[in-house]
Amino acid sequence: MSILASGSGAAKVIGLATYPVITRIYSPADFGVMAVFTSAITILVPFATMRYSITLPLPKTDVMAMNIFVLGSLLIIALSLILSGMFVVAGEAVFGFFNMNEIASYWWLLIIGILGASFYELLSNWATRKKSFTPIAKTNIWQSSISAITKIGLGYAGLKPMGLLIGVVAQRGSGVFSLMRYFLNDFKENIDKVTPKRIIFIFKYYRDLPLYRLPSQFLLVFATKMPVLFFAFQYGAETTGQLGLSILFVGIPMGLIGTTTAKAYYAEIAMIGAKQREKILSVTKSITKRLFLLSLIPTLILLLFSPFLFQFIFGAEWIQAGEFTSILAFYLFIQFITTPLVNIFTVYNMQRKFLEINIVRIIIVGVVFGMAYNWNMDVYQTLLMYTISISGHYIFTGYQVYKIIK
């Protein structure tokens, strides 16, 4: 965890150091376009591998893991070709249907972003299998640096908002080649053992993934991105940009410690094995306690001082983003503690249960935004109701995790 956190931490420091410059180059409306673009990539990436990538740490042999890797790669390429054809033929209609007209002309960047993010997910899961966390830490720093340089350079060149979008793509995919080079020997040793028969076996053996985990992941990601999409629909690009920066800022602790903890936790419990429930319970309790203690101070800082911090760091026009962050602080606190624990559903192959939990989540979020639309709530009322509702759902998910282990 410390190795992953050090790389992620350095990457976040680079991002924080450059955002005061970036927020003075681009307008809140530009950030609104970036928020919608990022949401589109995040929503579509789970479909690229149909979630087979998350099983890479599980097989006992590298031979079967290599077959999973090839299966995932084929699925990524297939989805990219399908989406490219669809956007060429009916791009405006597709983006219009999903209220994403702002990014219709950038569909080609969207495809590149999906390819980069999907292959990076595959490779980082291979690294998790090998417990090779140092390469992941290094690529985090590389990704953040490339993204920051791209956004600033293209922004000064006048490419707005394209500079932000290219920066997002660079951040998502720039670690692919370095990880591929790092594990090249592993791939050379096992690639000749990839056969259609084994790929078909893997496809069938983990068939619960496309049946249950893929819809679960889609609902999870869609529910996470619904605030951005709803704000773009209801309140316009400028307010969406304010929310986008707020979500980006509150996601720093989650990206720094939460995500890295999730990777290390998954690697550990996958190695322990599902049958040793007492050991898994001990590790899970330890993780929960430490995350609780780590999250207290950042939550209090965001809750009390966000408007001042945003105005001071990013400029006077971003004070609303700080106000949004104060509202989202408690939601971050609960998410931070419970998100790493959902890997339990994969280890115990309870994809259907995870789907049920995420169906409940999407219903809750849909009801919240439906009420906000029908009652014509302002942005602060909407965000507060969302925070309270989704925090309750995270608490429920954590309870379900402990119930499964016991």
Side-chain angles (χ1 to χ4, degrees):
M1 291 180 196
S2 62
I3 293 171
L4 286 169
S6 63
S8 182
K12 298 302 178 185
V13 168
I14 292 169
L16 276 176
T18 56
Y19 256 90
V21 178
I22 294 171
T23 53
R24 287 168 171 83
I25 298 174
Y26 298 96
S27 69
D30 293 332
F31 270 79
V33 175
M34 183 183 72
V36 174
F37 181 82
T38 306
S39 297
I41 291 178
T42 308
I43 289 169
L44 289 170
V45 162
F47 291 94
T49 63
M50 297 177 70
R51 308 314 294 148
Y52 281 95
S53 63
I54 66 172
T55 64
L56 275 168
L58 298 179
K60 293 181 179 179
T61 66
D62 285 350
V63 172
M64 296 310 292
M66 192 69 223
N67 280 269
I68 294 173
F69 188 92
V70 172
L71 172 61
S73 300
L74 293 173
L75 291 171
I76 291 169
I77 294 169
L79 178 70
S80 300
L81 292 174
I82 291 169
L83 288 176
S84 297
M86 184 172 65
F87 292 155
V88 168
V89 174
E92 290 188 8
V94 172
F95 287 109
F97 179 80
F98 291 102
N99 199 36
M100 295 182 176
N101 295 308
E102 301 95 335
I103 63 172
S105 58
Y106 305 112
W107 67 267
W108 53 278
L109 266 178
L110 186 63
I111 298 297
I112 297 172
I114 291 168
L115 279 168
S118 301
F119 275 109
Y120 185 78
E121 180 184 278
L122 265 182
L123 288 161
S124 62
N125 275 307
W126 186 276
T128 300
R129 172 182 178 79
K130 294 293 185 178
K131 290 197 173 183
S132 299
F133 298 128
T134 301
I136 298 177
K138 289 180 179 178
T139 56
N140 285 337
I141 298 172
W142 175 251
Q143 287 171 319
S144 185
S145 302
I146 291 295
S147 177
I149 292 169
T150 301
K151 289 173 181 175
I152 294 172
L154 295 181
Y156 276 122
L159 293 176
K160 305 174 185 179
M162 185 182 286
L164 287 175
L165 308 189
I166 294 175
V168 170
V169 171
Q171 185 169 11
R172 292 297 185 112
S174 58
V176 169
F177 296 107
S178 59
L179 284 182
M180 181 67 76
R181 187 168 60 250
Y182 191 88
F183 295 110
L184 191 59
N185 289 334
D186 285 348
F187 299 146
K188 286 180 179 179
E189 289 176 8
N190 294 287
I191 192 66
D192 60 335
K193 300 178 181 69
V194 174
T195 65
K197 184 178 179 180
R198 284 176 174 149
I199 290 177
I200 292 170
F201 170 77
I202 289 291
F203 189 85
K204 291 180 178 179
Y205 185 79
Y206 291 112
R207 61 184 178 274
D208 280 358
L209 289 167
L211 287 175
Y212 300 116
R213 190 57 182 255
L214 177 59
S216 296
Q217 189 68 19
F218 169 74
L219 293 175
L220 175 64
V221 171
F222 187 67
T224 303
K225 298 302 177 182
M226 271 185 73
V228 169
L229 300 178
F230 179 76
F231 270 55
F233 171 76
Q234 183 76 351
Y235 303 116
E238 186 165 336
T239 303
T240 305
Q242 298 278 355
L243 179 65
L245 183 63
S246 173
I247 292 173
L248 182 72
F249 193 80
V250 299
I252 289 171
M254 189 65 212
L256 173 59
I257 300 174
T259 303
T260 55
T261 300
K263 286 181 180 292
Y265 174 67
Y266 182 34
E268 190 69 19
I269 61 177
M271 182 185 69
I272 291 172
K275 293 182 179 179
Q276 300 191 59
R277 291 180 181 268
E278 290 186 5
K279 285 187 178 181
I280 289 180
L281 182 61
S282 175
V283 171
T284 304
K285 285 182 177 179
S286 175
I287 292 293
T288 305
K289 180 181 177 181
R290 291 167 189 268
L291 290 177
F292 175 83
L293 295 173
L294 282 169
S295 61
L296 281 176
I297 293 177
T299 300
L300 290 173
I301 292 172
L302 293 177
L303 184 67
L304 300 174
F305 303 111
S306 288
F308 168 76
L309 289 173
F310 272 71
Q311 190 174 9
F312 177 74
I313 297 172
F314 303 117
E317 63 180 335
W318 294 99
I319 188 170
Q320 189 180 41
E323 294 167 349
F324 289 166
T325 303
S326 292
I327 297 173
L328 291 170
F330 182 73
Y331 153 58
L332 165 70
F333 176 69
I334 303 300
Q335 180 196 38
F336 186 77
I337 296 169
T338 58
T339 294
L341 307 184
V342 299
N343 288 293
I344 284 293
F345 295 103
T346 302
V347 171
Y348 285 100
N349 199 25
M350 300 187 73
Q351 313 303 341
R352 185 169 181 172
K353 183 70 174 178
F354 193 54
L355 174 59
E356 292 169 356
I357 288 173
N358 283 296
I359 289 173
V360 172
R361 178 187 175 119
I362 201 72
I363 291 171
I364 291 172
V365 176
V367 169
V368 167
F369 290 128
M371 291 168 63
Y373 176 77
N374 288 321
W375 295 349
N376 199 27
M377 292 182 177
D378 64 34
V379 291
Y380 300 102
Q381 292 171 326
T382 301
L383 208 56
L384 180 60
M385 188 165 62
Y386 170 77
T387 297
I388 294 171
S389 301
I390 210 66
S391 297
H393 184 266
Y394 271 117
I395 293 171
F396 170 74
T397 303
Y399 167 75
Q400 291 296 318
V401 166
Y402 275 93
K403 187 177 178 181
I404 288 167
I405 299 171
K406 290 181 178 180

